[in-house]
Amino acid sequence: MLDFKTALETLRNYLKEHEMRFTTERMIILEEIFNFPPHFDAEKLFIHIRSKYNHISRATVYRALELFDKIGIIKKLNLGGGVAQYELKMDLPHHDHLICVVCGKVIEFVDDTIERLQQEIAEKHGMEIINHQLQIYGRCKEHRKQ
Amino acid sequence: MLDFKTALETLRNYLKEHEMRFTTERMIILEEIFNFPPHFDAEKLFIHIRSKYNHISRATVYRALELFDKIGIIKKLNLGGGVAQYELKMDLPHHDHLICVVCGKVIEFVDDTIERLQQEIAEKHGMEIINHQLQIYGRCKEHRKQ
DNA sequence: TCATCTATGAGAATGAGTCACAATTTATGT
DNA sequence: ACATAAATTGTGACTCATTCTCATAGATGA
């Protein structure tokens, strides 16, 4: 899933298989996600979409985000701050996030050793992993104190 | 900070240094946190406290939790689910959490290698770490599918 | 004890997210 | 293209966690 076209195809297929309707609203929302920063929250996306398509409601945006997350087109993140964040899911390996507490910038990183250790830890506790998240909060290059 | 007495002392000192009042409400709330499960949320704590001290208000509990977190007596966690979780902060090494998505059980674990790797990753990106959190969501021993 | 100024209680307000339902739109068979 | 049935949408009400407001109560230092 690297581009809008592929994502749209995925959406179409999922909808067809589940007797759901392919609507212009769902298409527009998907398209606007691709026009939007890589990490965003529902409200900002809604405002953005609303500015171009004033008939699309907040509920529809929330519903579409839930759907796209379920399908696997986007991923809902829990980065703190009391607001759900979303990112496009690009079929890349699992990654985690560095978050600047000053400017909110999000940096992604991948670390295979950490991934493996998590698996080991879960097993040691008899736990079957469904999902995991690692957030490192700090001050980025531009905002760290000297 | 291993016991109520020490925590209370910390609270007293902090309040004195900041020209704030040592109130019975703050003391009761602190005490009840020590009588409560190791991971809890504000509302549950409030209900519990309210059942014993019916004059203590929700706002006071929330305000106290914020204060205790700032002082470092407790730690506010972001385990997902739309509700802030808290835990006593015991001057133990940093630890992370395994969370059962079925029963909500929280298991703590410590892994020095992961801690070290996080430090390295942050440095590689020029980031100064303030805090970090790792959550592994899954099904615990009792609830995993066979 | 008094004066001062912080903390509290009560409930209103906020903000993210969800829900109910009437009206609309889509998919399908003809 | 048309009718039909079923899914979807927009609106606004609603929920839930948390925060705020403000009048009153209570802690602290003189």
Side-chain angles (χ1 to χ4, degrees):
Chain A
M1 176 122 22
L2 292 162
D3 56 306
F4 174 55
K5 211 165 124 282
T6 315
L8 196 60
E9 207 49 42
T10 305
L11 176 60
R12 264 189 206 283
N13 294 339
Y14 182 92
L15 294 174
K16 179 151 287 179
E17 283 168 21
H18 291 76
E19 300 185 331
M20 293 168 75
R21 307 282 154 85
F22 181 81
T23 63
T24 48
E25 287 78 9
R26 284 174 175 158
M27 191 185 69
I28 289 171
I29 294 167
L30 183 59
E31 186 172 25
E32 293 307 326
I33 289 173
F34 275 85
N35 292 336
F36 218 55
H39 294 90
F40 60 92
D41 64 64
E43 191 62 17
K44 287 213 187 62
L45 179 66
F46 167 64
I47 302 286
H48 170 72
I49 289 175
R50 200 58 186 269
S51 72
K52 297 172 75 169
Y53 306 92
N54 76 72
H55 73 282
I56 294 184
S57 75
R58 175 178 280 105
T60 300
V61 172
Y62 276 90
R63 287 186 285 230
L65 289 173
E66 194 186 354
L67 172 67
F68 298 167
D69 180 52
K70 187 198 274 183
I71 300 182
I73 297 177
I74 63 176
K75 185 160 189 213
K76 187 174 185 171
L77 304 173
N78 169 222
L79 304 183
V83 190
Q85 303 284 323
Y86 297 86
E87 66 180 9
L88 270 173
K89 195 166 158 188
M90 295 296 197
D91 283 349
L92 294 176
H94 182 86
H95 59 266
D96 294 299
H97 299 92
L98 290 156
I99 302 130
C100 176
V101 299
V102 179
C103 65
K105 185 167 66 188
V106 178
I107 302 170
E108 298 176 356
F109 69 89
V110 178
D111 190 294
D112 293 336
T113 310
I114 290 183
E115 296 293 315
R116 187 170 44 71
L117 287 171
Q118 290 185 39
Q119 193 62 51
E120 285 172 14
I121 289 160
E123 274 166 24
K124 193 162 65 188
H125 290 86
M127 196 133 172
E128 172 195 8
I129 293 190
I130 291 175
N131 191 8
H132 55 95
Q133 283 198 173
L134 166 59
Q135 298 95 238
I136 304 179
Y137 299 94
R139 294 194 187 81
C140 70
K141 234 178 298 190
E142 286 73 37
H143 296 103
R144 65 187 299 169
K145 294 172 179 164
Q146 286 318 331
Chain B
M1 172 123 25
L2 293 163
D3 57 307
F4 174 57
K5 209 164 127 283
T6 315
L8 196 60
E9 206 49 42
T10 305
L11 176 60
R12 264 189 207 284
N13 293 339
Y14 182 92
L15 294 174
K16 179 151 287 179
E17 283 168 21
H18 292 76
E19 299 185 334
M20 293 168 74
R21 306 282 153 83
F22 182 82
T23 62
T24 49
E25 286 79 8
R26 284 173 174 159
M27 191 183 70
I28 289 170
I29 294 168
L30 184 59
E31 187 172 24
E32 294 305 326
I33 289 174
F34 275 85
N35 292 338
F36 216 55
H39 294 90
F40 60 93
D41 63 63
E43 190 63 18
K44 288 213 185 63
L45 180 66
F46 168 65
I47 301 287
H48 171 72
I49 289 174
R50 199 59 186 267
S51 72
K52 297 171 76 169
Y53 306 92
N54 76 72
H55 74 282
I56 294 183
S57 76
R58 178 177 276 107
T60 299
V61 172
Y62 275 90
R63 286 185 286 231
L65 288 173
E66 192 186 354
L67 173 67
F68 298 167
D69 180 53
K70 186 198 277 185
I71 299 181
I73 296 176
I74 64 177
K75 185 158 190 217
K76 186 174 186 173
L77 303 173
N78 168 220
L79 303 184
V83 189
Q85 303 285 323
Y86 297 86
E87 66 181 9
L88 270 172
K89 194 165 158 186
M90 294 298 197
D91 283 349
L92 295 175
H94 181 85
H95 59 267
D96 294 298
H97 299 91
L98 290 157
I99 302 130
C100 176
V101 298
V102 180
C103 65
K105 186 166 67 187
V106 178
I107 303 169
E108 297 177 356
F109 68 88
V110 178
D111 189 294
D112 293 336
T113 310
I114 290 182
E115 296 294 315
R116 186 168 44 70
L117 287 172
Q118 290 186 39
Q119 193 62 51
E120 285 172 15
I121 289 160
E123 273 167 24
K124 192 161 64 185
H125 290 86
M127 197 134 172
E128 173 195 7
I129 292 189
I130 292 174
N131 191 9
H132 55 96
Q133 283 197 175
L134 165 60
Q135 298 95 239
I136 304 179
Y137 299 94
R139 296 196 186 80
C140 71
K141 233 178 300 194
E142 286 72 36
H143 297 102
R144 66 188 298 171
K145 294 171 181 168
Q146 284 319 329

